[in-house]
Amino acid sequence: MGKKVCIVGSGNWGSAISKIIGQNCASDDAFHDKVHMYVYEEMIEGQKLTEIINTQHENVKYLPGHKLPANVVAVPDLVQAAADADMFIFVVPHQFIRRLCSTLKGKIKPDAIGISLIKGMDHTEAGLQLISDVIREILQMDVSVLMGANIASEVANGDFCETTIGSRNLQNGQLFKRLLQAPSFRICVVEDANTVEICGALKNIVACGAGFVSALGYGDNTRAAVIRLGLMEMVKFAKAFFPNSPPQMATFLESCGVADLVTTCYGGRNKRVSEAYAKSDKTIEELEAEMLNGQKLQGPQTAEEVYKVLQTLKIQDSEYPLFVSVYNIFYNKHDVKSFIECLQNHPEHM
């Protein structure tokens, strides 16, 4: 009997990755052929979303037009979905992870392992936490992370892309690679898990800046500057956040680093919604509802969480000018044009 797999989340990215997981579980004896996918129940034109997925094998709300494998079974109850699972794939908006993990606490196998595909961070009174640490702390399981230049619709289409798994336990990382890799979805496993994950969170802040410069009418030269300066701040923040386990610079050259940053600054939801925000008087919440079909935006909230950490550590705003400028535009109503001033005055090297 192979290992049982549970996908916690069924949005755009969760549904896209379920296509690969379902196919691999059906063809590899290392895994149980039935995959449970936890689906937050919604009514779609009078019918339950789980019923639609289980009969039509399509997530008509979050990934329309793509057939999901028949062995991927939508389950509306989280505890039921997780029953007897050996491997968990966490792929929900980061603001929901504590509640979901609390629901699972004490109700999963003691030797279960997990992987987080969640791009974001969590800020509490104790400070900033990586999402994998939140899962690890509540569920007492080993948690790997997967981050990369992976726009969900392109992954669902089978377009070739790369991604990065960061794992503290290489054996578990390799097992997740076996579960998740496909000819069109190439995976590299590295041991620098913290850097892999923090890249996935911080790049969304930079993407918001890319949206701002697009809204102001600037072109690719300016966007390239945003990417370079943003990457500098990502590296600096990673070094400051993990003083006892410094990031490996090579990790920033993996898919989770510069590749994901470039992709997000050109085609990601944070770039698109930030551009719309800069051009309108609408709130982020209104634009989320209009543009993202139920998905959540991570960049603004991550910028707020990072800013809180800078304040707690009494770090000067001038040390992270791009991150702080994005925060100020969203939360202190600074003029979007101030972002260009931030770029003009940004240190050439950090």
Side-chain angles (χ1 to χ4, degrees):
M1 184 70 72
K3 294 184 179 296
K4 291 187 175 181
V5 176
C6 174
I7 305 171
V8 180
S10 58
N12 186 237
W13 186 207
S15 296
I17 204 69
S18 78
K19 291 186 66 176
I20 296 175
I21 292 172
Q23 291 165 1
N24 286 347
C25 285
S27 61
D28 190 334
D29 289 341
F31 308 109
H32 193 282
D33 59 353
K34 182 184 289 186
V35 178
H36 281 180
M37 180 168 69
Y38 165 65
V39 176
Y40 178 78
E41 193 68 278
E42 300 178 61
M43 299 302 294
I44 309 294
E45 296 182 355
Q47 190 175 4
K48 292 180 179 179
L49 180 57
T50 53
E51 292 178 354
I52 296 173
I53 293 173
N54 290 334
T55 56
Q56 300 178 25
H57 306 297
E58 179 182 353
N59 189 333
V60 294
K61 179 168 184 180
Y62 295 107
L63 195 67
H66 290 275
K67 287 296 181 182
L68 305 184
N71 61 321
V72 175
V73 179
V75 182
D77 182 273
L78 178 59
V79 174
Q80 182 182 341
D84 296 321
D86 301 289
M87 302 174 71
F88 286 86
I89 293 83
F90 295 94
V91 55
V92 294
H94 79 275
Q95 49 266 52
F96 302 140
I97 193 63
R98 281 189 179 275
R99 176 173 56 82
L100 294 173
C101 286
S102 296
T103 300
L104 289 174
K105 186 176 181 179
K107 299 169 184 173
I108 61 175
K109 287 184 173 181
D111 60 348
I113 59 175
I115 189 167
S116 172
L117 280 60
I118 302 169
K119 295 178 177 179
M121 291 186 284
D122 188 58
H123 185 271
T124 66
E125 292 180 359
L128 199 62
Q129 270 193 306
L130 298 177
I131 297 302
S132 65
D133 286 333
V134 174
I135 300 169
R136 192 175 291 114
E137 178 183 282
I138 297 175
L139 297 180
Q140 297 296 300
M141 66 163 58
D142 180 70
V143 184
S144 301
V145 296
L146 182 148
M147 305 283 155
N150 309 139
I151 293 176
S153 59
E154 295 183 14
V155 173
N157 286 336
D159 298 349
F160 177 80
C161 66
E162 298 180 309
T163 198
T164 311
I165 287 179
S167 186
R168 297 180 182 182
N169 181 315
L170 271 185
Q171 183 177 353
N172 290 343
Q174 291 293 341
L175 183 60
F176 276 112
K177 176 178 179 176
R178 182 170 177 174
L179 174 68
L180 294 162
Q181 184 160 261
S184 61
F185 193 65
R186 186 168 66 181
I187 297 173
C188 176
V189 180
V190 301
E191 291 184 272
D192 189 14
N194 288 341
T195 304
V196 172
E197 186 168 5
I198 207 164
C199 281
L202 296 179
K203 59 95 182 182
N204 285 327
I205 305 177
V206 185
C208 293
F212 295 155
V213 299
S214 291
L216 293 170
Y218 291 87
D220 289 341
N221 291 345
T222 310
R223 193 180 336 217
V226 172
I227 291 170
R228 187 186 79 84
L229 298 173
L231 181 61
M232 286 168 54
E233 293 195 17
M234 288 168 59
V235 172
K236 182 175 181 178
F237 192 88
K239 289 179 177 178
F241 196 61
F242 303 113
N244 298 322
S245 56
Q248 299 172 22
M249 290 305 299
T251 306
F252 290 97
L253 300 179
E254 295 288 348
S255 181
C256 63
V258 66
D260 195 10
L261 182 60
V262 170
T263 299
T264 308
C265 286
Y266 274 87
R269 73 182 83 160
N270 288 278
K271 181 264 179 187
R272 290 186 288 108
V273 177
S274 296
E275 182 175 358
Y277 177 84
K279 291 179 175 179
S280 74
D281 295 325
K282 295 179 180 178
T283 66
I284 283 294
E285 291 74 21
E286 289 171 334
L287 291 169
E288 276 184 339
E290 288 181 15
M291 299 177 65
L292 298 185
N293 192 32
Q295 298 178 73
K296 293 294 182 182
L297 202 65
Q298 308 296 352
Q301 188 169 345
T302 303
E304 181 182 27
E305 289 157 352
V306 166
Y307 188 74
K308 288 177 181 176
V309 171
L310 300 183
Q311 287 187 307
T312 300
L313 299 179
K314 295 182 170 55
I315 294 173
Q316 297 296 314
D317 289 1
S318 58
E319 292 195 38
Y320 294 92
L322 190 149
F323 289 172
V324 171
S325 180
V326 170
Y327 167 78
N328 281 328
I329 289 169
F330 282 123
Y331 293 97
N332 290 326
K333 305 303 179 185
H334 283 204
D335 193 307
V336 176
K337 293 178 181 177
S338 66
F339 188 73
I340 298 299
E341 296 173 14
C342 155
L343 300 180
Q344 293 169 335
N345 297 319
H346 200 287
E348 295 177 9
H349 307 286
M350 298 186 77

